[in-house]
Amino acid sequence: METHVCQNCKNNFSIESEDFLFYKKIDVPPPTFCPDCRFQRRLLFRNNRVFYRRECNLCNKSLLSVYNKEHQYIIYCKECWLSDKWDPIDYGQDYDFTTSFFEQFKSLQTSVPRANLYQTNFISSEYCNYGLDLKECYLLFGGINNERVYFGNQIFDSNDSLDVAFSEKVEFSYEIFECQRVSNVFFSCYSSDCVNSSYLIDCRNCMDCFGCVGLVSKQYHIFNQPYTREEYQEFINANRIGSYKNHLEFLEKLQELKLEIPSRYARIYKSLNSDGDDLVEVRNTHNSFSSHQAEDSKYLFFCRNKTKDSYDTSFQGFNAELLYEIAHGFSGSNTAFGVRNFSNQDSRYNEECHNCLNIFGCEGLRKKQYCILNKQYTKDEYEALLPKIIEHMNKMPYIDSKKRIYTYGEFFPSDLSPFSYNDSLAQEYFPLTKEQAIESGYTWKDLEARNYQVTLKTNDIPDQIKDINGDVLNQIIACQHEGKCLEQCTESFKIVSEELKFYKKMNLPLPRLCPNCRHYERIKLRNPLKLYHRSCMCDLPNHSHQGKCEVEFETSYAPDRKEKVYCEKCYQQEVI
């Protein structure tokens, strides 16, 4: 093991012996940024939810785009971008050994057209981004095979639900986070196989439960206490579930109960020799979060459907292997330093390239091989030139305004991100103020002037949904945060007709936050993406240990948290 100093945050970080073996396997030098700063840098290259109105630079039609007009990029609508009206090879340029590689790539970024949004087979889902097979969805960012899902993020195989994040197989549900196979479930997180329930945390296979934590295979429970069917229904009828005031009281009582019930040290299921949180069917995978079916990997975030032998990879998966410093894409092998690439092999430093082999420093290529800076080479020419470029990257590195040095082996400098810091996903997981972002060398986009007036303030919204009529569809509602948060707040919002119908049908209180702030409230339900070495807090006499349990583990619960954190065995004995 070696200890290094991160050239970004100046904190120490460790590189383990197995890490060096991985770097050797894919032939890259060890990183000079710590894992957190590497993750933050990758997130800076993805804008999920901030749209701008502009025109296609080819057909001139009006469109939505994640790219602000202030950035000098050529933007095509998806139809034009996929057409044969242009060829990315036409933008190829000779490698210039008198300037740094990243300067040359930056020039390529601004000359090669890019798609306005990342949509595949979208039907009536214009205001969505990053997804496949969406139908009649609205403000859904990331997901596959969804119908009529509004205000979502990273959703799979779901329908008829609102305000959902990092979940799959959800239907007729609202305010759901990290849940699977639930129906008619509301205001719940980390629960699976539940029906007709509200305010759940860490529950499985439950039906008709309200305000419960850690229950398994239960029915007719209220705040973890059993009731008869008649008593349960009487509670539901008597407590004005559609009241916003009561909703806040339910949330407060749920959090109090959560502190009383032991918490599992980590949500890791069907896994072997792995650490992190929210992991399913992983093996030899470490310091990773919200990932499924990964093997022999480290520093993953939201990697699904088989990722193998990969480090520092986010929003990736689908039979991918030997990936390093990858920000968003699908599949691929022996690929490093990439953004939004699909099914590439033996490639480095590429953006938005699909089904390519042996490419380096390319933008927007499809089904190409042996290309550098979008210029076509023969196999022999490519293999002769590539080592010279790598040597040149080390001799003439890119140095940004904060004196951070980028040689071969570093991900793209933040200067090359097409997004302002507060437009990117970095703001969600590493929130900064405008002053902090600028001090760190990032760009910032101020909110554009609004040409409308708020017509309904938060305090004037009727408490109960039954007292709200169709006139609310014509109102511009003030967000409760008033733009004073760090959550991409839009300051105001409107209720759309399908949304109001859902609230009425399900007897749910009208939200007081804009969709962006509601999204941030959901992701706050996740523990920080950081691990701490701790020991089990269980000291119960009826367990298998003598005195206090001495099992140690890595957990995302910081030592100063109020929860009672148990090892897996003690949790199973006490809660399940």
Side-chain angles (χ1 to χ4, degrees), residues 118-123 125 130-137 140 143-148 155-158:
Y118 304 99
Q119 303 175 336
T120 303
N121 193 27
F122 279 29
I123 300 173
S125 302
Y130 285 110
L132 169 67
D133 298 333
L134 303 188
K135 183 178 181 181
E136 298 176 15
C137 295
L140 173 57
I144 297 176
N145 190 30
N146 299 300
E147 291 191 30
R148 297 175 299 280
I155 314 300
F156 294 83
D157 305 316
S158 298

Side-chain angles (χ1 to χ4, degrees), residues 208 252 304 336 390 423:
D208 300 303
E252 183 177 357
R304 304 295 175 100
I390 293 174
D423 280 355

Side-chain angles (χ1 to χ4, degrees), residues 174 187 199 238-250 456-469 472 480 500 503-504 507-512:
Y174 177 67
F187 306 110
Y199 304 99
N239 278 272
R240 299 193 307 164
I241 304 302
S243 162
Y244 183 74
K245 177 178 177 292
N246 289 358
H247 162 67
L248 296 180
E249 293 175 357
F250 295 145
L456 181 61
K457 295 184 178 180
T458 302
N459 292 337
D460 296 331
I461 300 175
D463 177 63
Q464 294 201 60
I465 187 65
K466 69 180 180 63
D467 297 327
I468 294 175
N469 57 38
V472 75
Q480 203 169 52
L500 181 61
Y503 298 143
K504 289 280 191 179
N507 194 28
L508 299 168
L510 205 70
R512 269 59 172 178

Side-chain angles (χ1 to χ4, degrees), residues 110-235:
T110 56
S111 61
V112 179
R114 53 183 65 210
N116 63 313
L117 295 173
Y118 304 99
Q119 303 175 336
T120 303
N121 193 27
F122 279 29
I123 300 173
S124 301
S125 302
E126 179 186 8
Y127 291 87
C128 300
N129 193 26
Y130 285 110
L132 169 67
D133 298 333
L134 303 188
K135 183 178 181 181
E136 298 176 15
C137 295
Y138 179 67
L139 296 183
L140 173 57
F141 307 103
I144 297 176
N145 190 30
N146 299 300
E147 291 191 30
R148 297 175 299 280
V149 175
Y150 286 27
F151 315 117
N153 188 66
Q154 304 303 338
I155 314 300
F156 294 83
D157 305 316
S158 298
N159 61 272
D160 300 289
S161 298
L162 277 67
D163 287 291
V164 181
F166 295 92
S167 298
E168 61 184 60
K169 294 180 172 60
V170 174
E171 64 177 5
F172 307 112
S173 299
Y174 177 67
E175 280 293 358
I176 299 298
F177 182 76
E178 285 279 8
C179 291
Q180 298 81 38
R181 301 173 300 280
V182 299
S183 178
N184 279 82
V185 173
F186 311 100
F187 306 110
S188 299
C189 62
Y190 296 109
S191 297
S192 59
D193 302 295
C194 295
V195 180
N196 300 334
S197 300
S198 300
Y199 304 99
L200 304 182
I201 299 176
D202 279 315
C203 291
R204 291 189 286 128
N205 195 33
C206 290
M207 177 183 296
D208 300 303
C209 289
F210 189 98
C212 295
V213 180
L215 295 189
V216 178
S217 301
K218 300 296 184 182
Q219 187 174 15
Y220 303 129
H221 278 61
I222 301 173
F223 294 107
N224 280 35
Q225 297 301 313
Y227 288 79
T228 65
R229 180 181 182 276
E230 291 73 22
E231 290 171 335
Y232 181 87
Q233 195 58 52
E234 182 180 350
F235 171 87

Side-chain angles (χ1 to χ4, degrees), residues 392-522:
H392 172 256
M393 290 177 68
N394 293 326
K395 289 183 176 179
M396 187 180 288
Y398 180 90
I399 304 176
D400 67 13
S401 61
K402 307 304 291 185
K403 306 302 181 184
R404 293 172 291 215
I405 300 172
Y406 297 84
T407 58
Y408 178 75
E410 292 296 333
F411 189 75
F412 295 110
S414 59
D415 297 357
L416 273 63
S417 169
F419 310 116
S420 301
Y421 191 90
N422 56 320
D423 280 355
S424 75
L425 275 187
Q427 182 67 5
E428 294 188 18
Y429 295 93
F430 300 89
L432 300 177
T433 64
K434 177 181 178 179
E435 294 72 23
Q436 290 171 331
I438 293 174
E439 173 62 27
S440 299
Y442 307 125
T443 59
W444 188 270
K445 179 68 172 66
D446 291 322
L447 279 176
E448 297 179 357
R450 310 272 178 182
N451 59 357
Y452 54 78
Q453 295 293 323
V454 167
T455 59
L456 181 61
K457 295 184 178 180
T458 302
N459 292 337
D460 296 331
I461 300 175
D463 177 63
Q464 294 201 60
I465 187 65
K466 69 180 180 63
D467 297 327
I468 294 175
N469 57 38
D471 182 60
V472 75
L473 300 176
N474 302 317
Q475 304 291 341
I476 298 176
I477 305 172
C479 177
Q480 203 169 52
H481 287 175
E482 300 178 337
K484 298 176 181 178
C485 60
L486 299 177
E487 299 172 359
Q488 298 173 317
C489 180
T490 59
E491 299 183 1
S492 57
F493 63 102
K494 295 192 73 174
I495 300 295
V496 298
S497 60
E498 293 302 316
E499 182 184 2
L500 181 61
K501 290 177 185 177
F502 188 90
Y503 298 143
K504 289 280 191 179
K505 180 180 179 180
M506 301 300 181
N507 194 28
L508 299 168
L510 205 70
R512 269 59 172 178
L513 298 177
C514 70
N516 281 359
C517 290
R518 300 202 301 266
H519 166 68
Y520 273 77
E521 291 299 304
R522 283 191 295 279

Side-chain angles (χ1 to χ4, degrees), residues 346-362:
D346 303 326
S347 60
R348 302 286 188 272
Y349 293 108
N350 302 294
E351 185 177 26
E352 296 190 37
C353 294
H354 302 170
N355 302 105
C356 294
L357 174 66
N358 290 302
I359 59 173
F360 190 98
C362 292

